[in-house]
Amino acid sequence: MTETLIKGAAQEGRLTAVQGTALYVGAVLGTGVIALPALAAEAAGPASLLAWIAMVVVSAPLAASFAALGARFPDSGGVSTYARLAFGDRLAAVVGWCFYLAVPTGSSAAALFGGAYVSEALGGSTATTVATAVGLMAAVTVSNAAGVKMAGRFQLAFVGLLVVLLLLALALSLPHARAANFQPFAPHGWSAIGPAAALLVWSFAGWEAITHLAAEFRRPARTVPLAAGLAVVIVGVLYVSVAFAVIAVLGPGAADTEAPLGELMARGLGGQARLLAAGAALLLTLGAMNAYYAGAAKLGAALGRDGALPAWLARGSVVGEVPRRSLCVVSVLGFAALFATVLTHTGTRPLVLLTTGSFVAVYAVGVAAAIRLLPRRSKGRAASFAALAAVLVLLAMSGGYLLWPLAVSAAALLYVGWRRRRAPRDGPPAAPTDGPSAARPATPDVVEATEVM
């Protein structure tokens, strides 16, 4: 494992800070902005703005923690690698499986969200929604198969167009804002802000996704924290601005719409603006899926390299290589989740909740690893303590939906145990670590990276 990290750290990645910022923004500013401003307004009324602001504040230390880890330990394993360095290979496998298997379910839900916007704009049916979702999943698969540099350019174009469309929606709708729409400010009581914030967890997932691409950045010790910091500002401003506009312009009617962006644009341009909203929904969906597919593909290759998944997946774990085998697995599982959802008529809600539960579990282990690995008195470690408090709250809110990551964790441990029992016959595993001391690298290329967080 140490030798692999040394090799990866010694090579120069291709992603710039601007492309990295676009990947972050695309991963976090995903499908949440399509529907959640309306859902949060339904839960707490105008007071839901406080929930949005609270989630922005919470996401800042979370982003700082993962960025500091990515800058100091750039490796395609991402949070799985940090768990290995801090706690050993068993927990690394657990975290890796939780993230890797969450991406197909989350991406299929996101694709269906985007497809629903297109279907509504065109007056289509379920078939239109499903066909659009299939097209979205195919597009991000092809983009990532071309390599991370192409995926970065792809993402930059998406995020640029997305920001323009969101600013257009705000500019067209805000002249129709009414101060009376903020009265009463808390129609369901102040206690409703908590449930509204719980809904918004989906909107702010994604800060861990780009850690799997940290080694692909140019000078990751500098560019990863810079990209994360810029993304926090951009995402926070856009989320709060859109949520404000939804309440100020739509008023009580915000709770009754499933397409708040379309409604905002329609106030300024008329009904045909829903086509623009559908375009924005597609960009949001493509941006989020593109970033997650890129990160998950790299993670799968790293897990194959480290013995937590079949070694057949290991190709692509080195900087500059394209993990096409792992990408293929992610894509196939994503299509399977999509068609299972459509055929069983279960809807996207179970997919969202299963994905959210997995990500919260990943956050918990990732933040704990940051506290153990980052230098004392560093900004990154200080941010990790603040992030830990936020993650504990998220764990409490996840409740029964943590059963899925627990089941995945059990499967991961069974697989690692099976690999270890076979080790005497097949040779040692790729990363034979039994604890933090065995796993922690001690080379200048990895450990003595400039501390910038």
Side-chain angles (χ1 to χ4, degrees):
M1 176 66 177
T2 301
E3 290 78 5
T4 306
L5 281 171
I6 296 170
K7 183 178 180 181
Q11 297 189 37
E12 178 74 10
R14 297 183 177 183
L15 289 175
T16 65
V18 175
Q19 291 173 329
T21 301
L23 283 166
Y24 266 117
V25 172
V28 180
L29 192 72
T31 53
V33 77
I34 296 176
L36 287 184
L39 293 177
E42 181 182 10
S48 62
L49 287 174
L50 299 180
W52 282 102
I53 294 171
M55 290 304 296
V56 172
V57 172
V58 165
S59 69
L62 201 60
S65 299
F66 286 118
L69 285 169
R72 192 170 182 83
F73 308 104
D75 182 68
S76 56
V79 183
S80 177
T81 293
Y82 314 147
R84 183 183 303 280
L85 299 178
F87 307 115
D89 61 344
R90 289 185 178 87
L91 198 54
V94 165
V95 171
W97 278 49
C98 283
F99 185 94
Y100 194 62
L101 295 179
V103 171
T105 56
S107 296
S108 58
L112 288 170
F113 286 151
Y117 254 73
V118 173
S119 181
E120 181 174 338
L122 299 178
S125 60
T126 302
T128 303
T129 300
V130 175
T132 304
V134 169
L136 290 169
M137 297 177 78
V140 295
T141 300
V142 171
S143 166
N144 281 280
V148 69
K149 186 175 182 180
M150 179 60 69
R153 291 174 177 173
F154 197 56
Q155 190 82 346
L156 185 57
F158 280 150
V159 169
L161 288 172
L162 169 61
V163 170
V164 169
L165 284 173
L166 289 179
L167 293 177
L168 178 63
L170 293 172
L172 293 173
S173 62
L174 284 177
H176 301 275
R178 299 290 182 269
N181 288 332
F182 289 90
Q183 298 298 328
F185 188 73
H188 307 301
W190 296 104
S191 61
I193 296 175
L199 283 170
L200 301 182
V201 172
W202 171 270
S203 298
F204 289 89
W207 299 115
E208 80 296 340
I210 311 304
T211 59
H212 305 288
L213 302 175
E216 302 290 341
F217 281 70
R218 297 176 187 170
R219 298 181 297 278
R222 182 178 69 87
T223 54
V224 172
L226 175 60
L230 291 172
V232 168
V233 174
I234 294 171
V235 167
V237 169
L238 288 176
Y239 264 147
V240 174
S241 298
V242 171
F244 175 85
V246 166
I247 293 171
V249 175
L250 303 182
D256 300 324
T257 178
E258 295 182 357
L261 281 180
E263 292 297 327
L264 289 179
M265 290 184 175
R267 294 298 175 96
L269 290 178
Q272 294 302 316
R274 288 182 174 83
L275 291 173
L276 281 176
L282 287 177
L283 291 174
L284 284 162
T285 305
L286 282 168
M289 292 174 62
N290 190 56
Y292 272 100
Y293 269 50
K298 275 292 186 182
L299 169 62
L303 293 175
R305 175 199 69 195
D306 299 337
L309 281 176
W312 175 81
L313 292 173
R315 180 175 296 179
S317 62
V318 176
V319 175
E321 290 184 356
V322 182
R324 292 190 177 92
R325 293 177 179 178
S326 177
L327 175 64
C328 181
V329 172
V330 172
S331 183
V332 169
L333 291 177
F335 279 117
L338 172 65
F339 290 123
T341 301
V342 173
L343 292 175
T344 58
H345 305 286
T346 56
T348 56
R349 180 179 174 84
L351 295 176
V352 171
L353 294 173
L354 290 175
T355 304
T356 299
S358 295
F359 284 157
V360 171
V362 171
Y363 287 160
V365 177
V367 170
I371 291 174
R372 181 156 191 173
L373 293 176
L374 295 176
R376 295 181 182 276
R377 299 186 180 87
S378 66
K379 294 180 180 179
R381 192 165 188 266
S384 300
F385 280 104
L388 179 61
V391 169
L392 291 176
V393 173
L394 294 179
L395 284 171
M397 292 191 301
S398 296
Y401 299 110
L402 292 176
L403 291 176
W404 170 245
L406 286 175
V408 171
S409 300
L413 292 174
L414 287 173
Y415 180 83
V416 170
W418 175 75
R419 284 291 299 264
R420 288 192 170 194
R421 287 193 298 272
R422 289 190 57 182
R425 298 194 302 270
D426 299 341
T433 60
D434 292 313
S437 61
R440 192 185 306 273
T443 62
D445 286 331
V446 177
V447 177
E448 297 179 6
T450 303
E451 179 61 37
V452 291
M453 291 299 290

